[in-house]
Amino acid sequence: TPMSPAMMKLRLKVFNQHMRRTHAFWDLPLIHGLGCAGHGIVLIFVVPAAVEQGISLTSAAYILSILSLVSILSRLGAPILAEIHGPRKLMVASLLIQGLTVPILFVAGDLWVVYLFAVVFGFGFGGEWTSYLEINRRYFGDGPMGGAYGWQMTGAMVGHAVTTALAGLVLFATDGSYFTLFALSAA
């Protein structure tokens, strides 16, 4: 028998109260925010950094195209792999791929190296976000996920917004050092 609207409202309230008492409810938005802060630096500054290294603007713009196209593949496969191997392992792998590939930008002198970075980084970039769907199910079951996911997306957007402002200040304070920005991204 279907639940009455009043019973559904009560169920949602109790479920959300329970979720908010868990560490996962508060940790996941923080993790999402930090992950977005890290890759946000790359997304915003990889093209101007490549141009500064002598790569043409058109060729540098392809970095984001390659990265985005590869991330589509990993966004499709990540939820499936998260169901098979567990979302924590996949998220750790995705974040490690992002962090460990950023130092490639420190030594990238040739265009093909930057494109290689875009391919590998793209897998980590796409794999991170879509794993949140499965990790929510593992932590919170099959209940209403609007509240949990809304907080996680808020963490992500705060990570991007704060990174944009702070990265610009860091760039200004270091006389345009992309090295410092990318070191922060990798960290």
Side-chain angles (χ1 to χ4, degrees):
T1 61
M3 280 192 254
S4 69
M7 186 59 81
M8 288 174 60
K9 187 175 180 180
L10 178 62
R11 179 180 180 260
L12 178 62
K13 179 181 176 184
V14 170
F15 187 84
N16 283 328
Q17 286 173 342
H18 170 72
M19 264 195 321
R20 286 188 197 105
R21 288 188 207 120
T22 67
H23 286 287
F25 181 83
W26 300 104
D27 292 345
L28 288 170
L30 178 64
I31 292 166
H32 208 155
L34 292 172
C36 287
H39 65 242
I41 290 171
V42 171
L43 296 174
I44 294 167
F45 294 104
V46 71
V47 171
V51 169
E52 187 176 276
Q53 291 178 356
I55 296 173
S56 75
L57 182 58
T58 303
S59 295
Y62 283 128
I63 298 167
L64 290 178
S65 297
I66 293 167
L67 191 153
S68 296
L69 288 171
V70 171
S71 80
I72 290 170
L73 297 173
S74 60
R75 286 172 200 267
L76 293 170
I80 296 165
L81 292 173
E83 286 178 336
I84 295 168
H85 301 290
R88 284 190 211 169
K89 289 178 184 174
L90 192 67
M91 287 179 70
V92 166
S94 295
L95 291 168
L96 278 174
I97 288 169
Q98 289 178 65
L100 294 175
T101 56
V102 169
I104 293 171
L105 296 172
F106 299 149
V107 296
D110 294 328
L111 185 59
W112 74 268
V113 176
V114 178
Y115 288 169
L116 176 65
F117 159 79
V119 168
V120 180
F121 186 88
F123 278 110
F125 174 56
E128 173 196 349
W129 178 72
T130 52
S131 298
Y132 279 90
L133 303 171
E134 179 61 19
I135 205 163
N136 280 326
R137 190 172 68 83
R138 297 273 176 108
Y139 278 120
F140 306 121
D142 291 327
M145 287 297 128
Y149 196 67
W151 276 101
Q152 290 161 20
M153 291 309 295
T154 299
M157 295 303 105
V158 168
H160 279 293
V162 169
T163 296
T164 302
L166 291 180
L169 291 173
V170 168
L171 198 61
F172 177 76
T174 60
D175 289 327
S177 172
Y178 290 108
F179 180 89
T180 305
L181 284 182
F182 291 140
L184 288 171
S185 172

